Amino acid sequence: MAEPFSFKYQLSTMAKERLDPSEIGVMIKLSIVNNAISLTAGEPSADIYPIEELKKAFSTIFEDTSLLAYAKEDFGLLNLREWITDRMKADGLAPEWVEPKNILLTNGAGEAIDLVAETLIDPGCTVLVEAPTFTETLLTFRKQGANCVGVPSDDDGIIPEEFEKIVKERGARFLYTIPNFQNPSGRTSPVERRVKILEIAAHYDIPVFEDDPYHYLSYDGEAPATYLSLAKDDKRVLHSNSFSKLVAPGVRCGWLVVPDAIIPHLNALRISAGLTRPAIVQQGLFNYLSATDFKARVAFLRDVYRVRRNGMTEAIKKYLRPLGIKTNYPRGGFFLWGEASSVGIDDIPAFARFAVEKKKVGIIPGSAFYTRDEAKNGRDAFRISFAKVDPQTADEGIRRLAEAFREYKK
């Protein structure tokens, strides 16, 4: 019997060489398979979805049958884009030039990242990212053929002097940054750094791609001003955000603020990727937002996640700090960053598998958040998510993690 067709001679370079399995996905699956306490997933928990409000918001959408046809508006439902524009300006996230025509509705922030990559990246070009940065973004940029280079960062995010040094030496197509409560590190860049980085970007004529999905999830005061607002009329900043963290990830709706100069290009790529996005979902989401006290919703989320953040940091203080393991204190978002060199860890992927299989607790290896050439920089680091973890579960999970650190390699 002939062997089934293998496609081995037909696979593209992209499929064969540019993509690796997501370490986040691998560890989430291992946590499930091993029935472990998962400190892996950076997503909201189902208990805080606004279920009843969404049921009501979506109950009337079929009354407008035009929503079932191909959408007529290039960038998505106008009502929702107007709501986003007004909200961003009211909260100081956007300068005056941003109008509904500059808001592109996307299939979550992930599609925004993909569209920017398709618009700005040519194979072999250099893209600068924070070191560390979000794994899935690295995969998206690599898929397009980018040479991703990590810019050294500290507790205040990207170090401006390092950014300028790299730009001088090799240039860059653009800088990608998650400036607020960064994934994976939980770090936030202060305004002074953002201003300096914008000055360097302007001097070397480089755009900035600001990914800001955690902006509203601040637990100790408000998040700093966005790059988008600080740049004012310069229009070199693309800004992405998402309703995944504010409403529910399953609504799959994010947005991208698009400067006028590249609206035609992004629109053409958007059409080639699937003609339209689901207007019926966008209408339901608009109905929900229109009937909701948004500030009250944000305050509720902050209160819930603040308790979870505090529970996790207390457990870390109780179990990991006596081992000499260093962690930071995020002022928002979903994540903490840890470094385990004090306990002799130099192969964090191997340790993470030991922890999930033997001690039933899942974490994400820090090496997953660096470029291929720089993965060694995360060999003793790890990411913890507190988003879905109540204080009691955090205590047990970190207790198990401490046991894993003590017993590994014994």
Side-chain angles (χ1 to χ4, degrees):
M1 181 186 240
E3 291 292 321
F5 192 70
S6 69
F7 287 93
K8 64 181 179 180
Y9 298 115
Q10 287 76 29
L11 287 174
S12 67
T13 300
M14 181 188 299
K16 288 188 295 186
E17 299 177 9
R18 295 180 185 169
L19 298 179
D20 298 321
S22 167
E23 190 70 17
I24 296 176
V26 169
M27 290 308 303
I28 290 174
K29 289 177 182 177
L30 283 174
S31 295
I32 295 170
V33 168
N34 288 280
N35 195 28
I37 292 176
S38 179
L39 311 180
T40 57
E43 63 177 307
S45 53
D47 60 307
I48 58 174
Y49 296 161
I51 300 297
E52 294 306 315
E53 294 88 343
L54 287 172
K55 285 181 181 179
K56 184 176 180 181
F58 278 79
S59 66
T60 60
I61 55 177
F62 291 102
E63 294 174 5
D64 182 358
T65 57
S66 70
L67 296 172
L68 294 170
Y70 288 117
K72 303 300 187 291
E73 296 158 342
D74 285 345
F75 270 26
L77 190 75
L78 179 59
N79 288 344
L80 183 53
R81 289 187 286 125
E82 289 175 337
W83 187 94
I84 292 169
T85 303
D86 292 343
R87 184 80 260 165
M88 291 187 75
K89 288 185 177 180
D91 295 340
L93 276 67
E96 282 304 310
W97 65 263
V98 175
E99 300 176 11
K101 70 181 177 69
N102 300 105
I103 304 296
L104 169 62
L105 300 180
T106 58
N107 183 24
E111 187 186 29
I113 294 169
D114 193 55
L115 286 170
V116 170
E118 291 182 4
T119 304
L120 300 183
I121 292 174
D122 286 316
C125 77
T126 296
V127 173
L128 303 186
V129 299
E130 291 154 325
T133 195
F134 183 40
T135 303
E136 311 304 334
T137 297
L138 287 174
L139 292 174
T140 298
F141 292 168
R142 192 182 305 141
K143 180 183 71 173
Q144 288 301 122
N147 177 28
C148 295
V149 176
V151 181
S153 305
D154 58 18
D155 287 340
D156 287 333
I158 291 173
I159 301 169
E161 295 76 14
E162 296 292 341
F163 171 47
E164 184 167 26
K165 179 182 176 183
I166 294 173
V167 171
K168 272 184 178 179
E169 290 177 352
R170 57 196 308 167
R173 188 61 60 91
F174 63 89
L175 168 69
Y176 170 79
T177 177
I178 308 171
N180 291 314
F181 324 122
Q182 195 238 18
N183 183 2
S185 70
R187 299 164 177 162
T188 297
S189 296
V191 168
E192 297 76 19
R193 282 226 177 155
R194 300 181 193 210
V195 170
K196 182 62 177 174
I197 286 168
L198 279 172
E199 289 173 352
I200 295 168
H203 180 75
Y204 293 96
D205 203 25
I206 296 172
V208 175
F209 181 13
E210 175 179 39
D211 189 12
D212 201 19
Y214 308 101
H215 184 95
Y216 286 103
L217 300 183
S218 56
Y219 316 135
D220 303 318
E222 296 297 324
T226 61
Y227 277 98
L228 180 67
S229 64
L230 291 169
K232 299 180 181 178
D233 292 333
D234 184 49
K235 299 186 181 181
R236 74 175 58 250
V237 177
L238 297 104
H239 176 102
S240 64
N241 211 316
S242 174
F243 290 109
S244 293
K245 312 299 186 291
L246 300 172
V247 182
V251 300
R252 302 316 303 141
C253 188
W255 72 92
L256 178 69
V257 179
V258 185
D260 295 338
I262 58 172
I263 285 177
H265 309 285
L266 266 162
N267 190 44
L269 288 164
R270 177 200 61 79
I271 292 171
S272 73
L275 292 181
T276 64
R277 302 302 171 267
I280 201 161
V281 173
Q282 295 169 8
Q283 182 64 56
L285 181 57
F286 172 72
N287 292 348
Y288 164 75
L289 293 167
S290 299
T292 297
D293 183 336
F294 184 73
K295 289 187 177 180
R297 172 67 181 171
V298 168
F300 165 74
L301 293 173
R302 288 175 174 177
D303 288 344
V304 170
Y305 289 127
R306 186 182 297 110
V307 169
R308 295 177 183 181
R309 187 271 314 266
N310 291 348
M312 186 65 73
T313 55
E314 285 300 313
I316 287 171
K317 189 186 303 181
K318 182 177 177 182
Y319 297 112
L320 296 188
R321 190 168 295 176
L323 301 179
I325 294 170
K326 298 178 181 178
T327 60
N328 62 348
Y329 179 84
R331 290 176 287 147
F334 287 168
F335 308 108
L336 297 106
W337 187 248
E339 296 178 356
S341 57
S342 63
V343 290
I345 300 296
D346 60 4
D347 185 354
I348 199 70
F351 169 77
R353 282 159 175 75
F354 171 84
V356 75
E357 292 171 0
K358 303 300 183 184
K359 294 300 175 180
K360 309 303 180 186
V361 59
I363 59 172
I364 304 295
S367 53
F369 301 99
Y370 287 86
T371 68
R372 283 174 168 174
D373 293 340
E374 299 159 353
K376 63 182 183 300
N377 294 335
R379 64 185 180 274
D380 63 354
F382 58 95
R383 189 194 79 176
I384 285 175
S385 171
F386 54 83
K388 302 175 76 170
V389 186
D390 61 56
Q392 294 73 28
T393 305
D395 188 88
E396 175 61 17
I398 298 301
R399 185 193 67 78
R400 295 183 187 184
L401 186 60
E403 278 191 2
F405 279 124
R406 284 194 295 268
E407 295 180 18
Y408 185 63
K409 287 188 175 180
K410 278 190 176 181

